[in-house]
Amino acid sequence: MIGEIPPETSKEEAADLLAKLVSIDTRNPPGREKPLAEFIYEWLESRGIDAEIVDRPDPDRPQVVAEIGAGDPDAGKLVLNGHMDVVPPGDRDRWSVDPFNGVVADGRVYGRGTSDMKAGLAAAMLAGRAAESSGAVDGKLILTFVMGEETAEPGTKTLLEGIDADYGVVLEPTELHVHTVAKGLAWYAVEIGGKSSHASKPELGKNALDALFGNESRLSAYRRRIAERTHPLIGESLCTPTMVSAGTKENVIPESAELRMDRRFLPSEDVDALDEEIEEVFDPLRDDGFEVSIDRVRTYEAAEIDPDEHVATVFRKHANDVAGVDTAPAGKNAATDQRNFVNDAGIPAIIWGPGTSAQSHTTDEWARIDLLHDSVDVLCRAVEDLCSVSVEET
């Protein structure tokens, strides 16, 4: 049996593995997953795990898939999924540690990607080793280490096209809480076109920036209206202006202005309907003689499973048994690759991992070593439950 975490998996070993993963710079953009994919592949193969380098969808940014278990058709098949890419560190001078050195101190590992989500990768690797060495996986434990999650590239989606599975776990940071729903994300670029003139004669131009500012009340009303749409686990629908660019010189009326917006939406909201709503907000500017172009430049769909799906109840039980984690249903406000499991592959998947969500994308990002160690224990127990011939859904 797999059961509890093997005694040889110490906190020190878990921290050391995470530090090594962090020390491999996989920032995206531009997308540097290849050295980490090679490290993970060699680590798994050297421990007797059948692993494969996958060149799709980008041969310069390979992915890794590994399978463990006898493949009994009467047993469950579980996928553990984690993305190898991390966001850039930003201003290095603001960091008190080297973001790509994997510093271990004070019960934490520090560095870019520790929580989001290389702690999850380390947990999957260590749990995979335990499952392989036990020889007791009746079904299949499938590990997927993917590219491009931070920039909505089809890493996970591509790998799932060739995988048959019953359950999935997206190892994003949740501090071992089980999340069964995630908001979607749409980024919009709104371009306002007017006419330039000398600033001393503004009446000869059409000020695109004035038009944008003048439309603020309509945008604010829209934001208040959608905030009334709520979900019990992930809260309200959001639309947040995040970037503005306009103008060429102080004394020139700007002929164009661009507004960027971050739209967080619920599983109940339709993406095409979002487009129509945004168009309605800015349509009056067209009546005033301005050109308006609106593009949805990036989309992560929302996803949701029943909070009582078997995979969710199993992970709640073991996370509570191992670490005393609250068993109340929960959800994630950020978008994740859960959507590729649920919406595209039809695989019920939870969002669950050892990282701390509030640390994602932060300066001096860190992950707790105790949670990483506990996560391996939880994974070992969950694999025994979910990948056994005797699995019974309740």
Side-chain angles (χ1 to χ4, degrees), residues 348-391:
I350 61 171
I351 307 161
W352 178 93
T356 297
S357 183
Q359 284 297 308
S360 297
H361 305 184
T362 61
T363 300
D364 284 348
E365 180 183 349
W366 50 258
R368 286 169 49 186
I369 297 169
D370 62 337
L371 286 179
L372 171 56
H373 188 258
D374 285 346
S375 73
V376 182
D377 196 347
V378 174
L379 286 172
C380 289
R381 298 176 188 222
V383 169
E384 182 170 343
D385 279 0
L386 296 171
C387 301
S388 169
V389 170
S390 60
V391 63

Side-chain angles (χ1 to χ4, degrees), residues 56 154 156-164 345:
R56 305 183 317 276
T156 293
K157 184 175 182 177
T158 299
L159 290 186
L160 289 178
E161 290 171 354
I163 290 176
D164 175 30

Side-chain angles (χ1 to χ4, degrees), residues 224-300:
R224 290 192 298 271
R225 186 168 71 251
I226 65 172
E228 296 175 0
R229 306 170 189 170
T230 62
H231 186 286
L233 301 183
I234 53 175
E236 64 190 32
S237 188
L238 298 170
C239 181
T240 307
T242 54
M243 298 173 65
V244 174
S245 59
T248 57
K249 197 172 183 290
E250 290 83 351
N251 62 346
V252 178
I253 297 298
E255 64 181 358
S256 65
E258 184 185 71
L259 172 67
R260 293 277 179 147
M261 298 189 300
D262 179 294
R263 179 70 169 84
R264 303 282 165 160
F265 58 95
L266 310 179
S268 60
E269 295 182 279
D270 178 73
V271 176
D272 291 335
L274 303 187
D275 294 347
E276 295 177 6
E277 292 176 353
I278 299 297
E279 288 283 349
E280 289 176 2
V281 170
F282 291 93
D283 197 52
L285 297 183
R286 297 186 175 100
D287 296 336
D288 292 336
F290 291 91
E291 297 178 359
V292 179
S293 173
I294 301 175
D295 292 314
R296 175 160 38 91
V297 296
R298 183 167 296 172
T299 310
Y300 297 76

Side-chain angles (χ1 to χ4, degrees), residues 10 20 94 129 134 137 144 164 167 180 182 189 242 278 311 343 370 382:
S10 66
K20 288 177 180 176
R94 294 181 178 272
R129 183 187 66 179
S134 75
V137 179
T144 58
D164 175 30
Y167 318 103
T180 55
T242 54
I278 299 297
V311 63
N343 301 345
D370 62 337

Side-chain angles (χ1 to χ4, degrees), residues 103-259:
V103 175
V104 180
D106 305 321
R108 300 170 175 174
V109 180
Y110 291 83
R112 172 55 81 224
T114 45
S115 272
D116 185 15
M117 57 180 294
K118 290 183 177 178
L121 303 185
M125 294 164 71
L126 293 169
R129 183 187 66 179
E132 176 65 31
S133 62
S134 75
V137 179
D138 298 325
K140 281 287 184 184
L141 174 62
I142 304 166
L143 312 179
T144 58
F145 304 90
V146 306
M147 56 78 76
E149 190 274 346
E150 295 290 359
T151 47
E153 293 167 277
T156 293
K157 184 175 182 177
T158 299
L159 290 186
L160 289 178
E161 290 171 354
I163 290 176
D164 175 30
D166 301 300
Y167 318 103
V169 180
V170 179
L171 295 160
E172 293 281 2
T174 69
E175 293 188 314
L176 308 188
H177 290 81
V178 174
H179 292 183
T180 55
V181 57
K183 281 184 180 177
L185 162 62
W187 285 347
Y188 285 93
V190 182
E191 183 83 21
I192 312 296
K195 179 183 177 182
S196 65
S197 71
H198 197 286
S200 65
K201 296 183 179 295
E203 69 278 5
L204 299 181
K206 291 188 70 66
N207 193 320
L209 203 51
D210 274 350
L212 182 60
F213 291 158
N215 204 55
E216 192 274 334
S217 62
R218 288 185 60 86
L219 179 57
S220 293
Y222 171 67
R223 296 171 67 188
R224 290 192 298 271
R225 186 168 71 251
I226 65 172
E228 296 175 0
R229 306 170 189 170
T230 62
H231 186 286
L233 301 183
I234 53 175
E236 64 190 32
S237 188
L238 298 170
C239 181
T240 307
T242 54
M243 298 173 65
V244 174
S245 59
T248 57
K249 197 172 183 290
E250 290 83 351
N251 62 346
V252 178
I253 297 298
E255 64 181 358
S256 65
E258 184 185 71
L259 172 67

